[in-house]
Amino acid sequence: MIPVIPDSPTARAAADLAAEAAPRYLLNHSYRTYLFGRCLVPDRDIDDEAAFVAAMIHDLGLTDTHRGTGEFGQVGAELAGRFLQPRGWDTDRIRLVEEAILRHTNLVAEQVPLYRLIQAGAAVDVAGLGHEEISRDDLSRILGSYPRLEFVSRMRDRFLDEAHRHPQGAFAELERTVALSSRFGTNPIDLAAA
């Protein structure tokens, strides 16, 4: 059974924020990041609301609405802080969301479960890493609810643009170390969607 999407006022507001800024392919990626991550990191003590907010905001620094001069992860982390502070979240909880966004592109597995959730969920959706640990039924249900649409081509273009704009940034490092742009089109989860 696929995980449940948090339904708090803050979670709904984060989903609305993402829906206003992100094209559908990127919005669906944010939902899949949370759902895949929750399948892979089932720890009971994870703050699901914080994880969902991080998933919804983690790539908004790539959107036309929020893209600035800084690297996309930093833009997203700062956006999360501005979004959460007026909602009364304490500093430590806000920092947890910001760090999850900043760390989601790291190649070494994160030890903090919430960071790992965002990292692992994004890794499944972008490159298929860890997909075999998600049941085929859950994978199919998630992809059916949040289809990939033109994710492969459009996200690859955003990825390469960000890597070019920030040659010392996270995406440029992923391209240098693992040639990530070549993995977008060979993600095995696309077979599950077929």
Side-chain angles (χ1 to χ4, degrees):
M1 189 166 90
I2 67 172
V4 175
I5 300 281
D7 191 33
S8 68
T10 299
R12 289 192 302 272
D16 290 344
L17 177 71
E20 289 168 8
R24 190 72 187 178
Y25 80 90
L26 191 60
L27 178 65
N28 283 3
H29 164 66
S30 297
Y31 279 102
R32 289 189 309 266
T33 293
Y34 174 76
L35 293 168
F36 289 153
R38 204 61 179 105
C39 287
L40 293 171
V41 185
D43 300 46
R44 291 181 186 268
D45 60 346
I46 285 179
D47 181 339
D48 282 302
E49 183 182 40
F52 182 74
V53 169
M56 287 294 102
I57 297 176
H58 83 281
D59 276 348
L60 292 186
L62 296 172
T63 65
D64 294 339
T65 303
H66 295 290
R67 184 167 78 171
T69 56
E71 186 184 7
F72 87 103
Q74 188 64 47
V75 170
E78 290 169 4
L79 176 62
R82 289 192 309 274
F83 170 78
L84 292 169
Q85 190 172 18
R87 286 172 169 76
W89 283 36
D90 66 52
T91 303
D92 289 342
R93 200 168 177 222
I94 292 171
R95 191 69 188 146
L96 194 66
V97 172
E98 292 171 337
E99 284 294 320
I101 292 169
L102 290 169
R103 295 169 178 264
H104 84 273
T105 57
N106 289 350
L107 289 173
V108 176
E110 292 292 336
Q111 297 304 306
V112 174
L114 192 143
Y115 302 166
R116 177 76 184 126
L117 187 156
I118 304 303
Q119 179 190 43
V124 168
D125 203 47
V126 171
L129 300 176
H131 79 280
E132 64 282 348
E133 296 176 41
I134 300 172
S135 78
R136 187 164 179 82
D137 285 346
D138 285 350
L139 198 60
S140 294
R141 284 188 190 103
I142 292 167
L143 292 168
S145 297
Y146 301 99
R148 287 178 46 89
L149 307 173
E150 65 274 16
F151 179 78
V152 171
S153 61
R154 295 201 51 202
M155 187 62 180
R156 183 178 183 276
D157 289 345
R158 294 275 175 153
F159 171 84
L160 290 171
D161 178 65
E162 176 72 11
H164 176 73
R165 291 176 67 236
H166 300 284
Q168 301 308 313
F171 278 0
E173 180 64 19
L174 287 170
E175 187 63 10
R176 282 190 297 274
T177 56
V178 297
L180 187 59
S181 66
S182 67
R183 297 176 183 226
F184 281 87
T186 59
N187 189 331
I189 70 170
D190 288 322
L191 298 177

